[in-house]
């Protein structure tokens, strides 16, 4: 099986836990994409859900798939969220934000009763921050000063997209990709980064995932 097939089996497995008539948080990324396709088919076959998307990109795909959508103001409690991750450790801590949707993803995660994370096996890591640079969303005003403060914690970071053509998130902000040499204490680093003026949110998710569904060449594996 190639990586796309591993993503697909994990994402489709997660949709089996979606209950009829519930509000579902719709994550962002190339793995969740397969869950959106499956949920779209289920809806077209008569299944009833209301989706709350975590990004403009996911909103667009969900609309194309015919998934009814709403907003947190109307549905403040989400029954189940299906989302992806860039790195997952054995304690179910995550790095997210490779798709630049980390702020909305964390807001949706916070409003969710249950969170399923869907990944292929390459995302599983012994220590967070060893295989993926940590995304940190920062406001554009004074971003260089914010980066200097962020670098005091991580050592080195890159403005995503580069200075000539920086990526702008759905929220109108920039992303710094922060190169840690491992993040053995993710809870501490999550708080330290969020304490810097100019930082909106970072991609460390601690104690949020209830189950990680992993696509492997020998089938589905779980961490919970
Ligand atoms: C977006 C995310 C994604 O869930 C994460 O980047 C994983 O994406 P993919 O499934 O494409 O590898 O956090 O902000």
């Amino acid at each position: 099986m190639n990586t796309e097939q591993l993503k697909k089996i994990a994402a489709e497995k997660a949709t089996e836990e979606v209950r009829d008539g519930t509000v579902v948080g719709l994550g962002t990324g190339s793995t969740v994409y397969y869950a959106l396709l499956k949920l779209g088919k289920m809806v077209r076959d008569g299944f009833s859900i209301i989706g709350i998307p975590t990004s403009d990109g996911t909103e667009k795909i969900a609309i194309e798939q015919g998934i009814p959508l709403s907003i947190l103001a109307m549905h403040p409690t989400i029954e189940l969220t299906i989302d992806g991750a860039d790195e997952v450790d054995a304690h179910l801590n995550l790095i997210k934000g490779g798709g630049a949707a980390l702020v909305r993803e964390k807001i949706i995660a916070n409003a969710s009763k249950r969170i399923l994370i869907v990944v292929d096996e390459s995302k599983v890591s012994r220590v967070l921050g060893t295989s993926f640079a940590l995304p940190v969303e920062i406001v554009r005003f004074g971003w260089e000063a914010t980066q200097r403060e962020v670098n005091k914690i991580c050592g080195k970071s890159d403005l995503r997209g580069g200075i000539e053509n920086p990526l702008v998130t759905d929220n109108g902000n920039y992303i710094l990709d922060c190169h840690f040499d491992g993040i053995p204490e993710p809870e501490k680093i999550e708080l330290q980064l969020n304490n810097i003026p100019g930082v909106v949110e970072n991609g460390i998710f601690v104690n949020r995932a209830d189950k990680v569904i992993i696509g492997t060449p020998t089938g589905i594996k779980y961490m919970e």
Side-chain angles (χ1 to χ4, degrees), residues 4-19 24 31-39 42 47 80-83 114-120 211-216 218-224:
E4 288 309 306
Q5 289 165 322
L6 300 183
K7 291 178 182 183
K8 187 167 186 278
I9 57 170
E12 291 188 347
K13 180 53 88 177
T15 64
E16 292 175 14
E17 298 200 25
V18 177
R19 292 191 300 119
V24 184
T31 313
V32 165
Y33 173 73
Y34 293 107
L36 297 174
L37 296 190
K38 187 67 194 270
L39 288 172
M42 288 160 66
F47 200 70
L80 176 78
T81 287
I82 301 175
D83 205 348
R114 196 166 148 70
I115 300 173
L116 303 181
I117 297 297
V118 291
V119 293
D120 67 84
K211 189 195 270 193
V212 180
I213 302 178
I214 309 161
T216 84
T218 52
I220 302 284
K221 289 192 178 141
Y222 300 98
M223 293 199 295
E224 55 191 318

Side-chain angles (χ1 to χ4, degrees), residues 28-31 83-86 96-102 105 123:
T28 294
S30 59
T31 313
D83 205 348
D86 302 297
K96 290 183 49 53
L102 63 108
E105 288 172 335
K123 306 287 186 64

Side-chain angles (χ1 to χ4, degrees), residues 26-174:
L26 306 175
T28 294
S30 59
T31 313
V32 165
Y33 173 73
Y34 293 107
L36 297 174
L37 296 190
K38 187 67 194 270
L39 288 172
K41 182 169 184 328
M42 288 160 66
V43 166
R44 293 192 296 279
D45 290 345
F47 200 70
S48 165
I49 56 165
I50 294 171
I52 314 275
T54 54
S55 63
D56 293 350
T58 289
E59 179 176 323
K60 183 168 176 286
I61 297 164
I63 289 170
E64 283 164 8
Q65 290 300 313
I67 300 170
L69 297 180
S70 185
I71 55 174
L72 276 178
M74 301 290 293
H75 294 92
T77 304
I78 296 171
E79 186 73 22
L80 176 78
T81 287
I82 301 175
D83 205 348
D86 302 297
E87 213 177 328
V88 181
D89 74 13
H91 307 288
L92 278 63
N93 297 321
L94 319 169
I95 285 184
K96 290 183 49 53
L102 63 108
V103 172
R104 297 188 192 185
E105 288 172 335
K106 206 176 272 191
I107 292 170
I108 296 284
N110 203 47
S112 301
K113 288 192 196 163
R114 196 166 148 70
I115 300 173
L116 303 181
I117 297 297
V118 291
V119 293
D120 67 84
E121 62 175 4
S122 71
K123 306 287 186 64
V124 179
S125 163
R126 208 174 54 78
V127 179
L128 289 186
T130 49
S131 66
F132 200 85
L134 175 70
V136 177
E137 184 157 336
I138 61 171
V139 298
R140 284 191 270 181
F141 176 84
W143 73 268
E144 297 94 334
T146 305
Q147 183 180 34
R148 276 195 293 278
E149 293 302 313
V150 167
N151 285 353
K152 287 180 188 167
I153 295 174
C154 69
K156 181 182 180 301
S157 63
D158 297 317
L159 179 67
R160 193 178 295 181
I163 292 179
E164 296 297 314
N165 191 24
L167 178 136
V168 176
T169 68
D170 290 348
N171 313 307
N173 300 314
Y174 288 162

